[in-house]
Amino acid sequence: MSHSLQFLVFTMAGWLNRQQQDLINYLREENRVLREQLGSKPLRLTDEQRRRLAVRGRLIGRKGLAEVAGIVTPDTILRWYRRLIAKKYDGSAFRSRGLPTTPKQIPELVVRMAEENPRWGYTRIRDALANLGHLIGRNTVKRILQDHGIEPAPERGRRTPWKTFLQACWEGMAAADLFTVEALTLAGLRRYLVLFVLELKTRRVKTSGIHHQPYG
C-alpha cells in the first residue's frame, strides 16, 4: 500500500471515529435533556422497550453503557438482559402439571383387592381404599389394574386366577399318591400298594387303603 493511500485510509478512519463520537455525545446530551424534562417523575417502560434496551445494551457492555446510558443505569439494563435470557430458556410453562404420583403401597393394595375379590369393580375397590384412609379416584384404580394386566370385574370374575382359586379352596385341598411295601405272607413275599392322602393346609398324612392290586 502506498503512503498516499495509507494517509487517506487513516484520514477516513479518524473522520469516522470523530463522527461516531459526535453522535454519541449528541445522544448523551439528548438523554440528559429528556431526564430534565421528566424531572422526578418515575419512568415507566413497557416490556418491549425494556427488551430493546437490554438487547442493544448487551452489545455495548457495561463500560460503554456507563458513557451513554441516561434513562436507566447500566446495571439495570444488564439485569433486564439476564431476565430476558432466563425467560427464553425457562421450560416451566411446558412442564406437565398433572396429578401427583400414586404412593407405592396404593397399587399393591389395589392389585391385592382385585385378585382376592374377583367380583369387585373399580368403584368398590376405590371405596374399600377410602375406608382404609386412602383417597384415590376410580380412574386411578382402573389405570393401576390395566398396568398390571388385570381385567375388569365381569371378566375377572369369570376367569379366576389360579392363585385366587388355590387360596379360596386351600383348606379342602389334598394330594394323593401311592408307595409300595414288601410283606411276607403265607403265600410268600408279596408287594402291597399303599394309598395315602396329604392335607395341603395341615400337612397331615392319612393312609387311605392297602391292597396288592392297584385297582383294589
Side-chain angles (χ1 to χ4, degrees):
M1 183 182 295
S2 62
H3 292 291
S4 58
L5 184 57
Q6 289 181 359
F7 176 77
L8 180 60
V9 170
F10 291 149
T11 302
M12 288 295 296
W15 180 80
L16 290 174
N17 185 59
R18 286 194 300 273
Q19 285 289 103
Q20 185 180 33
Q21 187 60 46
D22 291 339
L23 178 60
I24 292 174
N25 291 335
Y26 171 79
L27 293 176
R28 187 185 303 168
E29 191 62 34
E30 186 178 66
N31 285 338
R32 292 196 187 99
V33 172
L34 291 174
R35 291 296 300 174
E36 292 173 359
Q37 290 291 325
L38 289 172
S40 59
K41 296 179 181 179
L43 186 63
R44 301 185 182 278
L45 300 177
T46 64
D47 291 340
E48 175 62 20
Q49 290 170 338
R50 292 191 185 94
R51 186 192 67 80
R52 285 155 49 193
L53 288 175
V55 172
R56 298 298 181 184
R58 173 62 179 173
L59 297 176
I60 298 174
R62 185 186 300 275
K63 186 176 180 181
L65 286 172
E67 296 179 359
V68 299
I71 299 178
V72 292
T73 64
D75 289 337
T76 301
I77 293 177
L78 294 178
R79 185 171 67 251
W80 289 347
Y81 182 82
R82 289 193 296 269
R83 289 178 180 175
L84 182 66
I85 295 300
K87 184 177 180 180
K88 179 180 179 180
Y89 293 102
D90 182 15
S92 60
F94 303 95
R95 294 176 191 150
S96 175
R97 297 181 181 271
L99 295 174
T101 56
T102 305
K104 182 180 179 181
Q105 64 270 21
I106 301 300
E108 294 176 355
L109 282 173
V110 170
V111 172
R112 180 179 175 183
M113 288 181 177
E115 290 179 344
E116 295 181 356
N117 304 277
R119 297 186 180 277
W120 283 15
Y122 303 141
T123 303
R124 180 66 182 84
I125 295 176
R126 180 202 63 188
D127 294 342
L129 288 170
N131 293 334
L132 297 176
H134 303 294
L135 302 178
I136 64 173
R138 182 179 181 276
N139 288 334
T140 303
V141 175
K142 178 181 179 181
R143 175 177 55 79
I144 292 172
L145 294 182
Q146 288 178 343
D147 292 342
H148 287 77
I150 300 177
E151 297 175 334
E155 289 78 8
R156 192 168 70 248
R158 287 193 290 267
R159 302 177 186 179
T160 304
W162 181 244
K163 179 180 178 181
T164 303
F165 172 78
L166 290 177
Q167 290 175 343
C169 303
W170 193 245
E171 293 185 1
M173 294 185 67
D177 203 350
L178 296 169
F179 68 90
T180 62
V181 294
E182 306 294 334
L184 184 60
T185 66
L186 295 177
L189 189 64
R190 176 169 291 188
R191 174 174 294 176
Y192 284 89
L193 299 171
V194 181
L195 175 66
F196 68 95
V197 178
L198 170 66
E199 294 180 355
L200 296 181
K201 183 178 179 180
T202 62
R203 300 293 179 178
R204 287 195 301 237
V205 178
K206 297 180 179 180
T207 302
S208 180
I210 301 176
H211 204 274
H212 65 279
Q213 293 292 347
Y215 55 80

